[in-house]
Amino acid sequence: MFQEEVLYSVALRATPHIGDVNFMKLIEAAGSAKEAWLLSKKLLKEIPGFGSRIIKDIGNEEFLKFAENELNFCEKNNIKILLRHHNQLPKLLSQCDDAPAILYQKGEYDENLIPVSIVGTRNMTPYGKAFIEELMTLLKDKNLLIVSGLALGTDGCAHTEALKNNISTVGVLAHGLHLLYPSQHKKLAKEMLERGGAILSEFTSNEKPDREHFLQRNRIVAGFSGLTIVVETAFGGGSMSTVSYANSYNREVYALPGKISDPYSQGCNLIISQNKARIISKYQDILDELGLNKEKTNIPSLFEPEMITLNQEAQPIYDCIAKNKQISLDDLSEKLEIPPFKLLPILLDLELKSYIKAHSGKQYSIA
């Protein structure tokens, strides 16, 4: 019976104009994918929001035949088909309103591990690489699962360094599981599968790595985890969409700051300044967020320690935050009679130096 539901689910989702949201509406109205597939056009039109254009191909045997071929492909290649309406998606991902109706999975991973998503530019610099290498050594033996997109650059480095430290890792693809893009990562993907990891995709075996698929894929990377770490990204980098998804899901985002002159740090600096991500001033920030390694000794810092010596402009701001323990940008502006736009660059500078911490809702406290 379940295999039959899988068949009709794949057929229904493959139908034009039936995206993830409409798919779930049909399931809610009909009770199952099979029942939705067999509904008459008259009854389908009675579902709010479903007109002739949307329902046109529901019940078309062409898509049922496609689904049969897809199931055969998955069976031959040891690919599991996970259905959202049967509560088979990864736990956190299933909580997202726009989660995929169907997810294809090759390989197995321990669902009890804590997922952490790591994203960033394909043009990773030595700075970003060194950060990932050090972070992975600290995350070793912490029962974590590293999630990324198996792309070149940051993604590949995150997967590779995870494996070096015996950390399971999952790759989310922007195409069907009939191929592996980029081809340079075929060996890496194979090792991930052999060592307690998996490869996931919402795309069927006839779908190629089109540009829009990568942006669509990013919501799964963001939704999979409670924490997303942005290593390096330019202003318009694809990682910015992952941040937007994570923010919309109320998930924590941390970003690695860098020099304002470095193009692949500019996106990170921007989302930090906009309170879309918390700043990573030391590796302990990540461990604290995950509730790991409460001992704060012997954890390396990203920056050299220095004495707190503030200029006349920054000192009253720091003192006001210290006095109030935690204060919003608006309240800080009112107390000091300084416009917010003048406060923000000083606050960012204090945050980069690890003197203060930024919280959601533009709240600040002493670090």
Side-chain angles (χ1 to χ4, degrees), residues 324-336:
N324 289 274
K325 294 185 178 180
Q326 185 164 314
I327 187 171
S328 70
L329 175 63
D330 290 339
D331 288 343
L332 192 62
S333 173
E334 184 178 342
K335 286 179 182 293
L336 297 174

Side-chain angles (χ1 to χ4, degrees), residues 1-9 32-34 83 85-86:
M1 287 292 289
F2 176 71
Q3 195 69 2
E4 189 177 57
E5 180 64 8
V6 173
L7 174 69
Y8 283 101
S9 294
S32 71
K34 181 180 179 180
L83 304 182
H85 64 287
H86 276 247

Side-chain angles (χ1 to χ4, degrees), residues 230 233-236 240 255 262-272:
V230 189
T233 185
F235 280 131
M240 301 295 270
D262 291 345
Y264 296 107
S265 287
Q266 289 172 354
C268 288
N269 292 341
L270 177 66
I271 58 177
I272 291 169

Side-chain angles (χ1 to χ4, degrees), residues 18 22 25 41 60 62 79 91-92 94 98 103 126 129 189 202 206-207 230 243 245 272 286 300 318 325 340-341 359:
I18 304 299
N22 278 341
K25 286 181 180 178
K41 293 291 190 284
N60 187 330
E62 175 187 341
I79 296 169
K91 184 179 178 181
L92 290 176
S94 66
D98 58 353
L103 203 56
K129 186 174 187 294
E202 64 181 311
N206 67 334
E207 295 183 273
V230 189
V243 171
Y245 283 122
I272 291 169
I286 303 301
Y318 180 87
K325 294 185 178 180
F341 74 88
H359 306 277

Side-chain angles (χ1 to χ4, degrees), residues 45-295:
K45 284 185 178 180
E46 292 179 6
I47 302 173
F50 283 75
S52 300
R53 178 170 168 269
I54 294 177
I55 68 172
K56 178 184 175 184
D57 289 304
I58 296 177
N60 187 330
E61 289 294 318
E62 175 187 341
F63 296 102
L64 198 59
K65 181 63 177 175
F66 167 81
E68 290 174 357
N69 292 335
E70 194 66 16
L71 264 64
N72 289 334
F73 169 81
C74 290
E75 183 177 358
K76 183 185 297 184
N77 291 280
N78 298 312
I79 296 169
K80 291 168 64 175
I81 303 177
L82 310 177
L83 304 182
R84 183 184 179 187
H85 64 287
H86 276 247
N87 300 314
Q88 295 179 319
L89 297 192
K91 184 179 178 181
L92 290 176
L93 181 61
S94 66
Q95 298 171 4
C96 304
D97 291 337
D98 58 353
I102 302 173
L103 203 56
Y104 299 89
Q105 175 180 319
K106 187 172 181 61
E108 297 285 345
Y109 64 93
D110 185 348
E111 295 180 9
N112 294 313
L113 297 174
I114 303 170
V116 176
S117 295
I118 297 180
V119 299
T121 178
R122 286 173 169 78
N123 301 295
M124 183 178 55
T125 71
Y127 173 56
K129 186 174 187 294
F131 169 78
I132 292 175
E133 289 173 347
E134 185 64 44
L135 179 64
M136 288 302 163
T137 62
L138 295 172
L139 296 181
K140 186 176 182 178
D141 301 323
K142 304 296 185 186
N143 295 319
L144 298 179
L145 178 72
I146 300 302
V147 181
S148 198
L150 250 176
L152 296 174
T154 302
D155 292 9
C157 183
H159 294 303
T160 299
E161 292 304 318
L163 292 174
K164 283 183 182 178
N165 289 279
N166 296 315
I167 303 171
S168 294
T169 182
V170 165
V172 185
L173 303 184
H175 52 76
L177 296 179
H178 59 300
L179 57 85
L180 199 293
Y181 176 86
S183 59
Q184 298 97 306
H185 280 170
K186 284 184 179 180
K187 183 178 178 181
L188 173 59
K190 184 173 182 289
E191 187 176 358
M192 289 166 61
L193 295 175
E194 291 172 347
R195 296 178 58 186
I199 298 173
L200 304 174
S201 177
E202 64 181 311
F203 300 103
T204 54
S205 63
N206 67 334
E207 295 183 273
K208 298 177 181 179
D210 295 329
R211 186 180 186 280
E212 60 270 19
H213 287 177
F214 287 93
L215 296 176
Q216 192 174 327
R217 176 274 307 275
N218 289 347
R219 84 188 193 289
I220 298 178
V221 175
F224 201 114
S225 306
L227 170 64
T228 293
I229 299 171
V230 189
V231 179
E232 291 179 301
T233 185
F235 280 131
S239 298
M240 301 295 270
S241 69
T242 310
V243 171
S244 295
Y245 283 122
N247 288 161
S248 71
Y249 302 148
N250 293 317
R251 307 292 168 78
E252 289 294 345
V253 179
Y254 277 76
L256 181 68
K259 295 178 182 178
I260 59 174
S261 58
D262 291 345
Y264 296 107
S265 287
Q266 289 172 354
C268 288
N269 292 341
L270 177 66
I271 58 177
I272 291 169
S273 70
Q274 294 176 334
N275 284 318
K276 294 180 178 178
R278 295 187 182 185
I279 188 171
I280 303 174
S281 59
K282 52 188 181 297
Y283 295 101
Q284 186 68 45
D285 295 339
I286 303 301
L287 299 180
D288 288 346
E289 182 62 44
L290 293 168
L292 304 171
N293 201 344
K294 295 301 183 182
E295 280 294 323

